[in-house]
């Protein structure tokens, strides 16, 4: 799925998680593929974000966004979440994240500053460079794994990773 140029944007200020979940599902499941960027496609994308947001935030207030558990529920497919292991020690090797993306599985990443605030989706990796779908702009932006490890992210809205939502190990390439 080619995201660059599609300009798939989150529908409001708290829909980054649902936008990321919809794009991740489209990458994982042929039945959820995004057709294009025409008015009907963009209307479907906005409606699907609202549907996902309502489904995964039954107890959590929507105004506070989507929790890692909510992201897991939205994507399904055996995904699970884990914390970034570098806040104090900056020692997260990201091996599981890089392996998943190299295997064709998108990885949602929760970023923020002091508190988690925004979801982005790691959609590709080449060497040590991650390509991330950033839903507030609809762009695909590049960061390095070193930037993630050292909490110096730029272009994604916030500098620190807080959590990753990962597929189960050993799945065939999607």
């Amino acid at each position: 799925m080619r995201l660059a140029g599609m300009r798939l944007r989150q529908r409001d200020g708290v829909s980054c998680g649902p936008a990321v979940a919809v794009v991740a599902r489209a990458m994982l499941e042929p039945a959820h593929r995004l057709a294009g960027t025409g008015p009907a496609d963009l209307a479907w994308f906005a409606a699907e974000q609202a549907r996902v947001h309502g489904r995964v935030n039954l107890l959590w207030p929507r105004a506070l966004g989507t929790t890692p558990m909510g992201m897991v529920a939205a994507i399904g497919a055996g995904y699970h979440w884990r914390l970034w292991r570098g806040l104090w020690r900056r020692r997260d090797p990201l091996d599981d994240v890089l392996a998943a993306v190299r295997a064709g599985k998108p990885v949602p990443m929760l970023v923020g500053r002091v508190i988690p605030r925004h979801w982005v989706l790691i959609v590709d990796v080449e060497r040590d460079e991650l390509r991330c779908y950033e839903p507030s702009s609809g762009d695909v932006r590049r960061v390095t794994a070193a930037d993630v490890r050292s909490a110096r992210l730029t272009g994604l809205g916030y500098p620190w990773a807080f959590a990753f939502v990962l597929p189960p190990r050993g799945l065939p390439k999607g």
Side-chain angles (χ1 to χ4, degrees):
M1 174 182 197
R2 183 159 173 78
L3 286 172
M6 290 186 83
R7 306 291 290 183
L8 298 170
R9 297 180 70 176
Q10 66 189 66
R11 64 191 295 270
D12 58 33
V14 294
S15 299
C16 56
V20 161
V22 172
V23 170
R25 293 276 311 272
M27 293 178 73
L28 292 166
E29 299 176 19
H32 287 89
R33 296 279 184 215
L34 298 167
T37 58
D41 300 313
L42 296 178
W44 175 86
F45 185 63
E48 189 66 5
Q49 289 176 58
R51 187 190 71 74
V52 167
H53 211 180
R55 185 171 58 87
V56 301
N57 284 32
L58 296 175
L59 300 175
W60 185 255
R62 287 186 198 174
L64 296 178
T66 304
T67 65
M69 293 77 65
M71 183 64 72
V72 166
I75 295 174
Y79 269 67
H80 64 281
W81 73 279
R82 75 158 176 90
L83 291 171
W84 174 57
R85 299 177 188 127
L87 187 55
W88 292 278
R89 296 182 310 224
R90 309 225 192 290
R91 294 185 184 165
D92 194 328
L94 304 174
D95 293 340
D96 52 350
V97 172
L98 298 172
V101 178
R102 285 186 178 118
K105 304 296 181 187
V107 173
M109 176 172 61
L110 182 58
V111 298
R113 176 185 292 116
V114 182
I115 60 170
R117 298 290 308 236
H118 186 55
W119 285 101
V120 298
L121 184 65
I122 305 169
V123 297
D124 196 15
V125 63
E126 188 173 311
R127 291 184 288 284
D128 200 37
E129 185 177 77
L130 310 174
R131 290 185 189 91
C132 302
Y133 161 66
E134 196 289 303
S136 66
S137 66
D139 292 336
V140 176
R141 301 198 173 151
R142 297 168 188 250
V143 298
T144 67
D147 292 336
V148 176
R149 288 182 193 107
S150 63
R152 288 192 311 248
L153 294 170
T154 58
L156 301 180
Y158 297 94
W160 294 352
F162 278 84
F164 301 95
V165 177
L166 297 153
R169 291 182 182 250
L171 285 180
K173 188 171 180 169

